[in-house]
């Protein structure tokens, strides 16, 4: 934790949106390497932090930060660990730099490692998926979660190359299927790795559930700050906040639905904020980040009995 490689994205903007004060309780729903948590604790607020990655929890416990309560759990289940409504909540969605930088976790093709990608280090791995799913299912995942226009070609190549057990093997298969020139700005394997990671970790379904849980957990006046890193996540957050603030007439098939005439549960919904040039220069990961913020009203949380599974 002391030398954590993760650099918090849009840190100043997140803290400004949360406006933590001494004695308040703020939830860091995606603890990671603890960047946001440390900044919140420095204001005198208490933090309840969640992470499903046992490595992140162990590192946080070793840091022994006063005022911090760590919970090893998906953030969609955060209500069970909270004694009362909270004053603020932040989420930094997606894979962390800490996870990407560890080749043995299998999230990245920058260094060869086992084809894993599991944030919680349990359940179906990326290797399990690519080696057992049928071609059509793989193509669907690549198309929906990676915006891969040639998803069928890539899926066909993956099936033909099975079994695949290493990140380097999968990257090589994708590059061969799509064509790869060393000077290409973006590696063609990027979309495939993103898609498989999102599927294996049920990231969009977890985000949908987490948004609904955050709505229920925040007290009136509670502040919400969510950082996303790709368009699938950002569209979900944007639509959720628009619906919950009464700015969209229609519902979403991916998110909890409101009964007719439900009062807005969020207000002061901010425009999406992006990192400035100086931050991007210091931290290239910030280039794709978007921050969306809102404030909880006193209205009841909208029901989630109709919560739909998000293509998982």
């Amino acid at each position: 934790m002391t030398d954590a490689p993760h650099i918090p994205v849009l840190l100043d903007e997140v803290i400004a949106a949360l406006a933590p004060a001494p004695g308040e309780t703020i939830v860091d729903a995606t603890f990671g390497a603890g960047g946001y948590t440390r900044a919140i604790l420095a204001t005198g607020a208490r933090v309840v932090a969640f992470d499903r990655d046992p490595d992140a929890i162990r590192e946080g416990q070793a840091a022994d930060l006063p005022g911090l309560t760590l919970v090893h759990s998906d953030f969609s289940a955060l209500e069970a660990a909270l004694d009362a409504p909270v004053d603020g909540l932040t989420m930094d969605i997606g894979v962390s730099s800490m996870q990407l930088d560890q080749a043995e976790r299998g999230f990245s093709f920058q260094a060869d490692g086992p084809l894993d990608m599991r944030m919680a280090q349990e359940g179906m791995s990326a290797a399990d998926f690519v080696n057992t799913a049928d071609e059509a299912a793989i193509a669907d995942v690549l198309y929906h979660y990676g915006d891969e226009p040639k998803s069928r070609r890539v899926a066909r190549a993956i099936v033909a190359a099975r079994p695949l057990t290493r990140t380097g093997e999968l990257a090589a298969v994708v590059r061969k299927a799509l064509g790869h020139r060393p000077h290409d700005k973006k590696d063609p394997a990027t979309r495939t790795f993103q898609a498989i990671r999102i599927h294996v970790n049920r990231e969009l379904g977890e985000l949908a559930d987490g948004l609904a849980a955050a709505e229920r957990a925040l007290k009136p006046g509670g502040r919400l700050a969510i950082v996303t890193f790709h368009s699938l996540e950002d569209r979900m957050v944007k639509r959720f906040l628009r619906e919950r603030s009464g700015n969209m007439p229609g519902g979403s098939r991916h998110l909890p639905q409101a009964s007719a005439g439900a009062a807005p549960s969020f207000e002061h919904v901010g425009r999406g904020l992006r990192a400035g040039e100086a931050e991007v220069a210091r931290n290239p990961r910030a280039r794709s980040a978007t921050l969306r913020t809102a404030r909880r009203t006193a209205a009841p949380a909208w029901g989630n009995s109709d919560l739909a599974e998000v293509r998982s």
Side-chain angles (χ1 to χ4, degrees):
M1 284 286 296
T2 304
D3 300 314
H6 175 74
I7 304 172
V9 169
L10 292 164
L11 177 61
D12 292 342
E13 293 83 354
V14 167
I15 298 303
L18 292 174
E24 289 191 329
T25 299
I26 308 294
V27 168
D28 183 348
T30 47
F31 178 69
Y36 295 127
T37 284
R38 288 179 181 274
I40 296 166
L41 290 172
T43 70
R46 298 183 296 270
V47 175
V48 181
F50 294 77
D51 208 296
R52 56 174 152 173
D53 189 335
D55 287 353
I57 296 298
R58 280 193 293 270
E59 292 289 336
Q61 291 169 338
D64 192 23
L65 299 172
L68 171 62
T69 300
L70 280 163
V71 183
H72 183 202
S73 170
D74 294 341
F75 59 73
S76 59
L78 60 88
E79 292 169 279
L82 299 176
D83 297 328
V86 297
D87 300 285
L89 188 148
T90 186
M91 300 179 185
D92 177 359
I93 305 301
V95 67
S96 73
S97 299
M98 183 173 60
Q99 291 165 330
L100 285 170
D101 291 342
Q102 297 174 7
E104 65 272 16
R105 299 296 301 274
F107 284 99
S108 173
F109 50 80
Q110 298 302 323
D112 186 50
L115 194 53
D116 194 323
M117 301 193 195
R118 296 172 298 175
M119 292 180 178
Q121 301 187 38
E122 61 183 15
M124 178 181 67
S125 70
D128 293 333
F129 173 65
V130 300
N131 289 319
T132 62
D134 62 37
E135 184 178 315
I138 295 173
D140 283 347
V141 165
L142 301 187
Y143 180 79
H144 290 302
Y145 296 159
D147 291 325
E148 175 53 70
K150 298 178 180 177
S151 59
R152 293 183 181 180
R153 179 189 299 180
V154 176
R156 187 161 50 250
I158 287 173
V159 170
R162 296 196 299 205
L164 297 167
T165 61
R166 308 287 296 180
T167 57
E169 293 173 340
L170 177 59
V173 168
V174 177
R175 290 169 184 149
K176 183 177 180 180
L178 296 178
H180 176 51
R181 293 166 295 185
H183 60 274
D184 285 347
K185 186 175 181 180
K186 186 174 183 178
D187 193 302
T190 302
R191 292 186 294 269
T192 292
F193 271 69
Q194 171 186 294
I196 293 172
R197 188 203 82 219
I198 289 173
H199 175 67
V200 165
N201 294 289
R202 189 184 167 266
E203 290 182 36
L204 297 187
E206 177 71 7
L207 176 56
D209 291 349
L211 289 169
E215 179 190 36
R216 294 189 295 268
L218 285 167
K219 64 175 58 173
R223 290 83 65 190
L224 180 67
I226 303 178
V227 178
T228 59
F229 289 89
H230 61 74
S231 59
L232 290 173
E233 300 166 343
D234 183 54
R235 284 198 298 267
M236 288 183 65
V237 175
K238 182 178 180 180
R239 180 150 191 155
F240 175 85
L241 292 177
R242 280 185 172 179
E243 288 179 343
R244 293 301 199 265
S245 61
N247 291 326
M248 267 183 95
S252 166
R253 65 190 178 91
H254 294 326
L255 296 170
Q257 302 297 304
S259 58
S265 58
F266 284 98
E267 61 184 358
H268 302 305
V269 175
R271 293 176 176 269
L273 294 177
R274 305 297 297 269
E277 292 182 5
E279 179 172 359
V280 172
R282 295 192 306 271
N283 181 13
R285 183 174 182 254
R287 188 184 312 278
S288 60
T290 301
L291 168 65
R292 295 195 181 272
T293 63
R295 187 178 296 267
R296 186 72 168 84
T297 69
W302 293 18
N304 71 332
S305 59
D306 296 324
L307 181 65
E309 192 74 9
V310 184
R311 292 198 305 266
S312 62

